[in-house]
């Protein structure tokens, strides 16, 4: 995972990058249980069953992951703004057509007890209002 140059000396951004790098790496390496474990219990309830969630990532890998900015929240929470490219079978893509997508997402991260300092609580579009959070690779 790359950090925007403005974030290199930002300790909060480095904490976010640790969690997100572990998440993206786990999916790329098909260690889906490790990736799923990085969500909060509330996020896992919203996502549904592990089986359904992991099936959607069966052919997914990531590249060009960049943490572009962070916004501080309360109680150690933050929002991490991330861009990346995903490669997947078109059947696993949200548009059911693209084997390569460029994404703009915002990850809400909250403090956790244990080895991983932050957990993913929510993932939302970081695209302009009304736009999809992804587009086909050029």
């Amino acid at each position: 995972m790359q950090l925007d140059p403005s974030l290199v000396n930002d300790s909060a951004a480095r904490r976010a990058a640790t969690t997100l790098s572990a998440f993206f790496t786990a999916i790329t390496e098909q260690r889906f249980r490790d990736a799923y474990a990085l969500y909060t219990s509330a996020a896992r309830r919203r996502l549904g069953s592990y089986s359904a969630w992991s099936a959607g990532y069966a052919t997914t890998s990531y590249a060009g992951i960049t943490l572009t900015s962070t916004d501080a929240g309360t109680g150690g929470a933050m929002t991490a703004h991330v861009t990346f490219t995903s490669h997947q079978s078109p059947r696993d893509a949200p548009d059911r057509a693209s084997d390569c997508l460029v994404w703009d997402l915002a990850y809400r991260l909250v403090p956790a007890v244990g080895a991983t300092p932050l957990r993913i609580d929510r993932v939302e579009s970081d695209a302009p209002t009304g736009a999809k959070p992804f587009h086909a690779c050029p």
Side-chain angles (χ1 to χ4, degrees):
M1 168 172 267
Q2 298 177 9
L3 295 178
D4 182 88
S6 66
L7 300 175
V8 171
N9 295 317
D10 183 327
S11 62
R14 288 194 308 274
R15 286 181 54 218
T18 297
T19 297
L20 294 171
S21 181
F23 176 77
F24 287 112
T25 298
I27 289 177
T28 296
E29 294 176 353
Q30 298 192 339
R31 292 182 293 107
F32 302 120
R33 288 206 183 276
D34 292 344
Y36 195 71
L38 291 170
Y39 286 107
T40 63
S41 57
R44 288 192 299 267
R45 281 190 299 276
R46 287 190 300 271
L47 292 169
S49 75
Y50 166 78
S51 298
W53 175 85
S54 61
Y57 289 98
T59 64
T60 303
S61 65
Y62 295 110
I65 306 157
T66 302
L67 178 59
T68 59
S69 65
T70 60
D71 299 323
T74 59
M78 72 174 69
T79 301
H81 304 274
V82 181
T83 62
F84 58 89
T85 300
S86 69
H87 299 275
Q88 63 281 315
S89 169
R91 75 174 186 274
D92 292 333
D95 65 2
R96 300 287 188 220
S98 301
D99 63 356
C100 181
L101 295 168
V102 177
W103 294 83
D104 289 304
L105 294 176
Y107 289 78
R108 176 158 167 69
L109 305 172
V110 297
V113 176
T116 303
L118 296 170
R119 296 268 190 238
I120 301 166
D121 189 53
R122 189 171 300 273
V123 182
E124 299 174 337
S125 173
D126 214 14
T129 303
K132 291 181 181 178
F134 60 86
H135 62 271
C137 295

